[in-house]
Amino acid sequence: MNRLFRLGPVLRARKAQEDAARGAVIQSRAEIREAEALLKRRRLELTGADAPTEGTARAMVASLVARQSLAAGLFSAQRMVTDAEDLEREKIAALTEAAKKRRAVEMMAERHAEAVRDHDLRVDQANLDELAVTSKARQAANGTQDGGQE
C-alpha cells in the first residue's frame, strides 16, 4: 500500500486558496468600514450646510447648489457602502467554496490515513498469526521429538 498521500500538494494549494479568500474577506470588511466612515462624514457635512434663510439671490442659489452637491456626495458614499457590502457577500461565497474544496481533499487525506492504519493493522495481525502458528508447529514438532527420545 502506498503510504504517501498523493494529493498532499493539492491539499496545501486548497489551504492557500482558502487563506487568500479569507484575506479578501478581511480586506472587504475594511473597505466597508472605510465607506461607512465616508458616509458618516458626508452626512455630517450635509447636516452642517443648512440652507440660508437670508442673503442675496446669488448667495442663496450658490448655497442650494452646494447642498445639492453635498447630497450627491452623500448618495455616492451610500452607493459605495452598498457596493462594498455586495462585494463582501461575493468574497464570503468564495471563501465558503474554497473551504468546501479544502475539506473535500482533507476528507480524502483522512480516509487515506485510515486505510494505511487498517493495512498496517492487518499486516501486524497476519504477522502475529503467522508467529503463533509457527510457534505452535514448532512446539508440536519439539513435543514429538522429545517424546520419541525418552
Side-chain angles (χ1 to χ4, degrees):
M1 161 143 226
N2 189 0
R3 302 185 72 70
L4 180 66
F5 181 60
R6 293 184 190 180
L7 295 178
V10 174
L11 181 58
R12 286 190 298 278
R14 295 288 166 93
K15 285 180 181 180
Q17 288 172 341
E18 184 180 9
D19 289 344
R22 187 175 291 112
V25 168
I26 291 169
Q27 178 64 34
S28 178
R29 288 181 179 156
E31 290 171 4
I32 289 174
R33 286 190 301 274
E34 290 172 10
E36 287 173 339
L38 177 64
L39 177 65
K40 185 177 179 179
R41 285 193 306 272
R42 297 272 169 95
R43 209 174 262 141
L44 289 173
E45 288 172 359
L46 183 61
T47 303
D50 291 333
T53 54
E54 56 185 54
T56 65
R58 282 187 180 173
M60 291 185 78
V61 168
S63 177
L64 290 174
V65 169
R67 265 183 75 71
Q68 260 186 328
S69 175
L70 290 173
L74 177 64
F75 178 77
S76 174
Q78 180 60 50
R79 180 51 123 180
M80 285 176 65
V81 169
T82 303
D83 290 346
E85 289 171 345
D86 291 344
L87 185 61
E88 180 193 30
R89 279 189 286 281
E90 291 173 16
K91 300 290 182 182
I92 289 173
L95 174 61
T96 302
E97 187 64 28
K100 284 180 187 176
K101 288 179 179 180
R102 177 203 39 89
R103 185 64 188 137
V105 177
E106 259 182 5
M107 288 173 65
M108 283 190 265
E110 290 169 2
R111 276 187 241 133
H112 178 265
E114 186 176 331
V116 168
R117 276 191 307 273
D118 289 346
H119 178 263
D120 290 346
L121 289 174
R122 280 193 305 276
V123 167
D124 288 346
Q125 187 62 48
N127 290 338
L128 289 173
D129 291 347
E130 180 66 27
L131 285 173
V133 167
T134 306
S135 174
K136 191 169 188 171
R138 206 177 300 129
Q139 286 175 356
N142 286 339
T144 323
Q145 289 175 353
D146 289 341
Q149 291 176 344
E150 292 182 316

